Amino acid sequence: MTSLRTKGKSTVVWLLMGMVLLGLGGFGITNFSGTSTAAIGAVGDTEITADDYLRGIRSEMQGFAAQTGQNLTPEQARTFGIPQTVQARLFTAAALEEEARRIGLSVGDETVLRDLTAAPGFQTTGSEFDPVRYQEVLRQEGLRPAEFEEDVRMDAARLILQRAVIGGVTVPPTLREGTAAWILEKRDFSWDELTAEDLAAPVAAPDDETLTAWHKANADRFTSPEVRRITYAWLTPEMLADTVQLDEAALRDLYQGRIGEFQQPERRMVERLVYESEEAVAAAKARLDAGQATFEQLAAERGLTLSDIDLGEVSEADLGAAGSAVFALAQPGVVGPVQTDLGPALMSMNAILEPVNIPFEQAVVDLRAEAAADRARRVIEEQAADLEDRIAGGATLEDLAEATDMELGSIDFSAETPSEGIAAYQSFRERARAVTPTDFPQIFQLDDGGVFALRLDEVVAPALIPFEEVRDEVLADWTAAETRRELKARAEERKLLVESAASGDLPPPAEGTAPAPAAAFRTATDVERDTGIEGVPQAVVAQGFRLAEPGEVSVVEAEGRVFLIRLDGIKPADLSAEEAAPVVNGVDQRLTESLQSDLFQAYARALQAQHGITLNDGALAAADARIQ
């Protein structure tokens, strides 16, 4: 590989994607498995180290967990394409660094100092820069201050390049206004759903020859899924809960340690609206009592929402001097003026929560179950190393079940396997899908602290289920399809009748005869693209918005149902209206960001082509193996 002179750190990558510069807590400062100086690749002479790559992946995984509350496994991270995403960002950052170095772009020490001291990862809880924490974080990362500060300088230079490329890029007004008008346009529709009752006669049952042909022609709907026959051994805290020894003194200590759950005074749900003076509070209370404003409106006048001023569940002691007034209320209401730590205020009490008094004798049942489960988890954790040693020594799953607390089981696993038993655990389902006949068993973790090992015994390939076994399902499927076909044909006939009636080609109905087909239509006015029509599939509404002129009719099959929809009127958007402003502004922002992103990506690709990309496949594979 070409000799590499410099290192491209990944901090700027997340800066370019909108994250906080040098917020190391958000960046994911966590070592994977020690440090490494290997480079996974480079742009020109700017290399990308394995540590930067692994740190970026960890950051992405932590960000996913923070947003969803679900931790990603390495397999899931790979499935979601996280390694590829991080690689793309790192090579973009390296290309910018190489170009900045080529043109001599840099920043001064004042900029570096400003960025360092503003980094949340180096600040105290009071948002002050902490030199000791700065040194400690760098030490944990294996970075020297001079080296890191040079990376900060380069990050700033890369940001200058990015701003130079995308600065001044704005969306053309015609595109912005045209897009906003398209979004805000409203329409009036008439519509009807055709059902089996609209057919002249019920769909006749077919003969077996027809059903057999249908069975073969739609084999994908009557094919059993791949079945993976698996033997497993597992051990969960629930299996050991009855065997662990619990000391009553420890349970009493646990009760006392969580006494706040079992012993609580009466509480109230309260909102506090603070004013600058008692006169202002009194005036607001007078308006409230006179019905001239609601408490929510009073908050809005001060630029606040109810969630901004919500104190949650509080006791009388929590409220200080205001407590007695609030707790004097026998039902929800507003009191004030009252004095608070922040000044005079109105207090809105919304609910009364009765005291909680759960004695130890009542709580001990749940405490015992929790403590037993916790102790069982620790026992399993202590046994895990021994279980791994037994497997490494050649023990089979059957041997484990015979010699340890693990239990043996088997399962025919497929995509249709219900989530029950061991198949209720996501970690087992993932391993069951991935295991191959040549894999040696090993110990894996379950979400509740349990462990399992598995072996793939046989893979049963998907197969067409014999007609005799699924005849009823085939009949139901054929009948539903034939009903939809006839309904669509009936809908096309009605469409022609509606269009003919609208054009005047049909005479008005004679007295005593059936009304024109459109009489059965239901109407929907001021329909928006995103809200649609209640009870009608969105695909039907989308087709309605594709119609060009009022009076046009369309037949739509959606979600196994058949509809007629007629366009009755088009109401163009009024972009000058006050309620249109947020949409116009949002469209402007999204389109501008899209244009800027496209331009920046094109620039980055051009830089990569200009300076040349080098990829070290061996180092990349070694780094991928360390993802955890």
Side-chain angles (χ1 to χ4, degrees), residues 105-273:
L105 180 62
S106 186
V107 299
D109 293 342
E110 290 184 0
T111 300
V112 175
L113 179 63
R114 181 198 63 203
D115 291 340
L116 280 176
T117 55
F122 301 142
Q123 292 179 348
T124 65
T125 54
S127 299
E128 295 291 333
F129 178 71
D130 185 351
V132 175
R133 176 168 174 75
Y134 173 62
Q135 295 287 342
E136 178 63 19
V137 170
L138 294 190
R139 185 191 63 78
Q140 292 174 356
E141 278 302 300
L143 297 171
R144 291 178 289 107
E147 176 188 16
F148 183 74
E149 287 157 19
E150 181 59 29
D151 291 332
V152 174
R153 193 185 309 278
M154 185 52 66
D155 281 352
R158 288 186 291 219
L159 181 57
I160 292 173
L161 263 183
Q162 181 204 11
R163 289 172 175 167
V165 172
I166 67 175
V169 175
T170 57
V171 63
T174 53
L175 178 59
R176 177 187 64 237
E177 292 166 8
T179 303
W182 181 86
I183 293 173
L184 291 172
E185 176 188 279
K186 296 180 181 180
R187 294 192 171 195
D188 296 339
F189 295 111
S190 294
W191 64 277
D192 188 29
E193 179 180 5
L194 281 75
T195 66
E197 296 177 357
D198 292 295
L199 298 178
V203 174
D207 54 29
D208 276 6
E209 183 178 354
T210 300
L211 290 181
T212 301
W214 186 262
H215 174 249
K216 293 179 180 178
N218 299 276
D220 58 315
R221 296 206 282 271
F222 308 108
T223 296
S224 61
E226 176 186 271
V227 173
R228 302 169 69 81
R229 290 180 173 160
I230 292 172
T231 298
Y232 62 88
W234 65 324
L235 180 61
T236 67
E238 184 179 2
M239 295 177 186
L240 296 181
D242 293 337
T243 65
V244 298
Q245 299 297 318
L246 298 175
D247 179 70
E248 183 167 339
L251 291 175
R252 289 190 176 276
D253 290 342
L254 180 60
Y255 174 81
Q256 290 299 324
R258 294 166 51 183
I259 194 66
E261 299 178 27
F262 307 114
Q263 302 289 332
Q264 296 181 23
E266 180 181 307
R267 291 150 294 137
R268 305 287 172 97
M269 299 187 70
V270 178
E271 295 155 351
R272 176 181 61 195
L273 186 56

Side-chain angles (χ1 to χ4, degrees), residues 12 16 19 126 169 188 216 256 266 369 384 423 443 460 512 574:
V12 74
L16 295 177
M19 297 187 68
V169 175
D188 296 339
K216 293 179 180 178
Q256 290 299 324
E266 180 181 307
I443 297 296
V460 180
D574 180 8

